[in-house]
Amino acid sequence: MLQDRSVLAGCNTALNESDVMGLRVNWPGRTVRLLLHVLALPEHGPVDPDTRRALVLTGVCLIRVLLRADRTGGRDYGHPIELADADAADAFLASAGWSNPMYGWSFLDDPELTRDWPAPVSLVLAGTGPAAHTMYWFSECGREEPGGRSAYCIEGDIHFARLDVERADGSPVPLTSFAADGRRWWDAFRSGDPRVSPSSQQAQPPSPAWT
């Protein structure tokens, strides 16, 4: 489905300003579930009160994670911080006291996004076989630590064969619907649709949390 350029572009749009909340890896099964909160507007009615979506990537042959301290808030990052395994990366995301959404409009099938990564990185899981697609994700986040408030940037690069999307209850969301809901949200925001106005967003109760 991602071979369809319209679907690929729509998924990239749907991922813009999404929050990365978890990284669940089943390495023996070569499957990754990237847990997100997204911006999505259905064709009819108000904004969905549950913004949780999981990207389910299968046929994974490479996972790289890069965790660094954000020393100035201006992409002045420290050295890679080693992560013991994928569970440690997920635990770090869960430990963040605050985070900012992804931005940039391009996340899928864009190798330039990791071109400036240092070597080595924080974690590498490598298998065999070709990868049809790549997924880049990141979270600029922080937490309270014994020495005070600390800021970090954690980034990921996943090479995979197939992408599916699920709601938090496991029900499937077709890629075409995921792309359309994201595009519709941004079109509505640009046109001044009151359903996604800043005041409506502030008044909307928080979405349920991932567990």
Side-chain angles (χ1 to χ4, degrees):
M1 184 66 75
L2 288 179
Q3 284 81 0
D4 185 322
R5 290 189 177 185
S6 176
V7 174
L8 177 64
C11 287
N12 274 322
T13 297
L15 290 168
N16 195 55
E17 295 292 319
S18 61
D19 287 291
V20 179
M21 308 306 296
L23 179 71
R24 309 288 168 80
V25 176
N26 175 358
W27 187 241
R30 298 300 192 265
T31 300
V32 174
R33 298 179 82 247
L34 188 67
L35 309 184
L36 306 172
H37 285 288
V38 304
L39 300 176
L41 183 65
E43 188 172 1
H44 304 289
V47 171
D48 190 334
D50 188 344
T51 65
R52 293 174 296 176
R53 301 291 186 273
L55 301 189
V56 184
L57 304 108
T58 52
V60 175
C61 65
L62 177 66
I63 300 171
R64 298 190 299 155
V65 179
L66 176 59
L67 171 63
R68 294 177 287 183
D70 184 350
R71 297 182 294 200
T72 68
R75 295 188 65 84
D76 179 15
Y77 298 135
H79 297 295
I81 299 169
E82 184 176 356
L83 293 165
D85 51 30
D87 287 344
D90 184 52
F92 177 85
L93 287 165
S95 75
W98 57 267
S99 64
N100 295 322
M102 298 196 297
Y103 52 86
W105 302 99
S106 184
F107 309 96
L108 290 158
D109 291 357
D110 187 349
E112 293 298 321
L113 296 171
T114 59
R115 193 77 73 188
D116 64 347
W117 276 21
V121 295
S122 303
L123 172 68
V124 176
L125 296 175
T128 59
H133 303 287
T134 61
M135 169 72 200
Y136 170 74
W137 60 269
F138 70 91
S139 178
E140 295 170 337
C141 57
R143 60 189 185 182
E144 295 294 336
E145 297 183 341
R149 200 179 206 208
S150 299
Y152 296 90
C153 181
I154 183 169
E155 307 170 79
D157 178 35
I158 306 170
H159 295 227
F160 65 97
R162 178 183 171 89
L163 170 65
D164 294 286
V165 179
E166 296 177 351
R167 298 180 68 92
D169 62 4
S171 58
V173 179
L175 286 190
T176 51
S177 298
F178 178 68
D181 289 351
R183 277 179 162 157
R184 192 178 297 113
W185 194 98
W186 284 104
D187 288 344
F189 182 75
R190 295 185 186 103
S191 67
D193 189 315
R195 293 178 294 172
V196 297
S197 68
S199 59
S200 293
Q201 293 183 60
Q202 292 171 4
Q204 186 175 352
S207 178
W210 282 102
T211 57

